[in-house]
Amino acid sequence: MGVKDSLLTDEMMDTIIANAFEWIVVVDHRGDIIYLNDSYSAFLDVDSKTVIGKHVTEVIENTRMHHVVQTGKEELADLQYIRGNYMIANRVPIFNRNKEVIGAYGTVIFRDTSEWDKMNSHVKSMLGRIRNYLQEYEQQTGVKYTLEDIIGKSKLIQTLKEKVKHIASSDVSVLIRGESGTGKELFAHSIHQLSNRSSMPFIKLNCAAIPEHLLESELFGYEEGAFTGAKKGGKKGKFLLADGGTLFLDEIGDMSLPMQIKLLRALQEGEVEPIGAGKPIQVNVRVIAATNRPLEKMMEEKRFRDDLYYRIHVIPFHIPSLRERTEDIPMLVEHFIQKICKRTGRRITSVTPDALAVLSRYRWPGNIRELENVIQAAVHLSTGDKLTLEALPDYLTESYSIPFGSKSLKDTLEEAEKQAIIQTLENVNDDKLEAAKLLGISKSSLYEKIKKYHIG
């Protein structure tokens, strides 16, 4: 046999690829399948010829090939669940000479059935152990969220995440400010989870949700027989439950003045006295407080104690509203779609551009909580594999600008001015001089307004 006869022919190459141990799929720039090798076809129980031209999501469950052609970013060694098995998938974009994405090819690592079954069982076992560990950790400490649960790549969010990492290990009090629905609790959980107290309890108390006459017993507990209806054996308060760990006091601005005095005493002395107890009990608790109330104004009106404010305000955190970080909306929308689909079994793979445009323009007075509720409703109302404009609530498409009539003229104008500054700064990558030119004001005026509206 000559050298020429031994060269690899196209026919030989086709045979090798078609029967390769690795499963192979190739899609075009739209995500439509243009090739599926025989091994992959056999596993999926489809005809490799009839699937040509179909969108990859119609053939392969949990695929991300269509995302790769959209982003142009490769995804290597990704765990993918297909037909009851965990597979290890690689997805690589294909570029033309002009660096444009013209398609993508994907491979699934697979050797033989017995070896894969063994590996698949091992993966499932490991995932089960991880889930059990996380559930056990949550039950023991009360921590549900970590820094990874805070979604966003905006400068505001990245700065706050770095601040969490920086101060978590310290033991000082933290006051988290922000509108309702911005995710203040997620930051509180994250601070505890990264602190030296992470193995100890994280106890939460919503001060606005507990009736005034019950708040003292919730915070400090009571002894048996302390009052009519007291439980046999008494009850531990939140301070004692959080001993050694963190106490998260949500909506602290709703606490009455008498309770503020008792809370301040507990923080200053490091001890609590349960109702009906004869002597105080020492506690070691880090306090993280949160509120959406204007505490400074409340202090002027004598509705919030100055000394308590300075006790809890050692490290202040301001969580931005969603309208202050609109660049995070696409990422949040994708996150909520995946989260809701995983829980409900629905198959929504993406959001249409016009729907995303409306979601990005709306003011979101209820912030992230409102966005998640809207996406949940839209997922259930969607009929295809995309979240469309028709699935969104009417009020989003009818009124996504400044809510005229709900505020005074002065507040409405200030809101419009603030949003104009925020949007302009985002468009010029935070170049203050360029932003001032575009807005038609001096640089010093811009800095005054940035300070006034607490931007950046």
Side-chain angles (χ1 to χ4, degrees):
M1 182 181 292
V3 174
K4 185 175 181 180
D5 294 331
S6 65
L7 292 176
L8 196 63
T9 65
D10 290 343
E11 185 178 357
M12 293 168 65
M13 181 64 75
D14 290 342
T15 302
I16 292 170
I17 293 175
N19 296 281
F21 285 126
E22 284 192 353
W23 300 337
I24 300 171
V25 62
V26 184
V27 301
D28 62 16
H29 66 286
R30 294 183 297 270
D32 295 335
I33 294 175
I34 57 178
Y35 179 80
L36 189 73
N37 75 338
D38 291 346
S39 299
Y40 210 166
S41 301
F43 176 75
L44 296 172
D45 196 22
V46 297
D47 188 324
S48 59
K49 294 183 177 60
T50 59
V51 298
I52 302 301
K54 288 186 177 182
H55 196 266
V56 67
T57 56
E58 298 177 37
V59 181
I60 305 173
E61 63 180 307
N62 299 316
T63 183
R64 289 183 53 82
M65 292 292 291
H66 55 303
H67 287 293
V68 171
V69 295
Q70 290 172 0
T71 64
K73 297 179 180 178
E74 65 180 16
E75 299 180 356
L76 303 180
D78 185 38
L79 206 61
Q80 184 174 340
Y81 193 72
I82 311 175
R83 303 199 73 185
N85 293 292
Y86 286 96
M87 308 291 177
I88 299 175
N90 295 314
R91 311 177 190 98
V92 181
I94 302 171
F95 298 91
N96 62 14
R97 292 181 179 179
N98 296 324
K99 303 298 182 181
E100 298 169 330
V101 179
I102 58 174
Y105 73 90
T107 62
V108 175
I109 297 175
F110 166 78
R111 300 178 84 90
D112 61 69
T113 305
S114 60
E115 185 174 340
W116 177 250
D117 285 343
K118 182 179 179 181
M119 182 178 177
N120 186 49
S121 298
H122 178 66
V123 171
K124 286 181 177 178
S125 174
M126 290 300 295
L127 288 176
R129 290 181 190 177
I130 292 171
R131 278 194 292 267
N132 290 338
Y133 171 77
L134 292 175
Q135 288 172 358
E136 185 178 339
Y137 177 69
E138 182 180 332
Q139 290 170 359
Q140 288 180 352
T141 66
V143 174
K144 295 181 180 179
Y145 309 107
T146 69
L147 215 54
E148 297 304 313
D149 293 302
I150 300 171
I151 308 300
K153 289 187 177 179
S154 62
K155 184 177 179 182
L156 288 171
I157 289 299
Q158 292 304 311
T159 300
L160 281 177
K161 284 187 173 185
E162 288 303 314
K163 189 174 182 179
V164 168
K165 295 176 186 176
H166 185 67
I167 63 94
S169 59
S170 64
D171 230 13
V172 295
S173 301
V174 177
L175 177 61
I176 303 176
R177 312 286 290 272
E179 296 178 10
S180 179
T182 50
K184 297 187 289 293
E185 185 175 345
L186 270 68
F187 280 92
H189 281 257
S190 300
I191 292 170
H192 174 80
Q193 192 265 333
L194 291 175
S195 73
N196 296 329
R197 298 172 177 262
S198 60
S199 61
M200 301 303 287
F202 176 88
I203 303 298
K204 172 188 172 184
L205 178 66
N206 188 322
C207 301
I210 307 296
E212 174 65 23
H213 65 284
L214 296 178
L215 190 54
E216 182 176 1
S217 64
E218 282 293 320
L219 271 175
F220 308 123
Y222 56 79
E223 295 292 310
E224 182 177 345
F227 50 83
T228 303
K231 289 182 180 179
K232 186 177 181 180
K235 177 184 175 181
K236 280 188 175 182
K238 301 297 186 184
F239 263 96
L240 283 173
L241 292 173
D243 191 21
T246 301
L247 177 60
F248 176 45
L249 297 176
D250 200 8
E251 306 297 353
I252 195 171
D254 290 69
M255 186 178 286
S256 68
L257 282 171
M259 277 307 305
Q260 290 178 32
I261 295 172
K262 294 176 181 179
L263 172 62
L264 178 63
R265 186 181 303 123
L267 296 179
Q268 287 177 331
E269 304 299 330
E271 59 184 29
V272 296
E273 189 170 331
I275 300 173
K279 58 180 181 179
I281 303 171
Q282 288 290 320
V283 290
N284 174 18
V285 172
R286 180 187 193 174
V287 169
I288 299 176
T291 185
N292 60 0
R293 299 273 188 172
L295 297 186
E296 292 79 7
K297 185 178 180 181
M298 292 174 68
M299 286 191 291
E300 292 176 5
E301 298 170 350
K302 305 301 180 184
R303 292 189 294 127
F304 199 86
R305 293 183 62 90
D306 297 40
D307 42 10
L308 177 59
Y309 174 81
Y310 293 115
R311 170 67 64 173
I312 64 176
H313 193 258
V314 179
I315 297 181
F317 262 78
H318 174 72
I319 312 302
S321 63
L322 190 51
R323 59 186 171 276
E324 291 177 275
R325 55 184 189 106
T326 53
E327 65 269 41
D328 287 334
I329 289 178
M331 183 182 294
L332 285 163
V333 169
E334 182 180 354
H335 168 73
F336 288 136
I337 287 175
Q338 291 179 1
K339 175 183 175 181
I340 294 162
C341 285
K342 184 177 181 181
R343 186 174 67 238
T344 62
R346 299 298 301 274
R347 291 193 62 182
I348 305 296
T349 58
S350 61
V351 57
T352 60
D354 55 348
L356 186 59
V358 168
L359 290 167
S360 298
R361 288 195 300 255
Y362 180 62
R363 306 303 303 157
W364 298 112
N367 293 293
I368 297 174
R369 187 181 297 124
E370 183 185 6
L371 174 62
E372 182 173 8
N373 290 336
V374 165
I375 298 302
Q376 181 171 325
V379 165
H380 285 284
L381 291 171
S382 296
T383 54
D385 63 351
K386 294 182 183 295
L387 193 151
T388 63
L389 187 63
E390 290 73 26
L392 297 178
D394 291 340
Y395 75 88
L396 289 187
T397 56
E398 291 171 357
S399 177
Y400 53 74
S401 57
I402 295 170
F404 294 105
S406 62
K407 296 182 179 180
S408 67
L409 179 60
K410 178 177 178 293
D411 289 342
T412 300
L413 290 173
E414 287 184 344
E415 178 66 14
E417 185 177 64
K418 178 180 178 180
Q419 294 309 313
I421 293 171
I422 290 171
Q423 192 61 56
T424 303
L425 286 169
E426 289 175 354
N427 291 342
V428 297
N429 295 319
D430 209 36
D431 185 333
K432 304 292 193 303
L433 182 60
E434 181 64 22
K437 288 179 181 178
L438 291 173
L439 292 166
I441 58 178
S442 67
K443 191 175 180 180
S444 59
S445 294
L446 176 62
Y447 275 105
E448 288 176 5
K449 294 179 185 297
I450 289 173
K451 184 178 179 181
K452 175 183 177 182
Y453 297 127
H454 306 288
I455 297 172

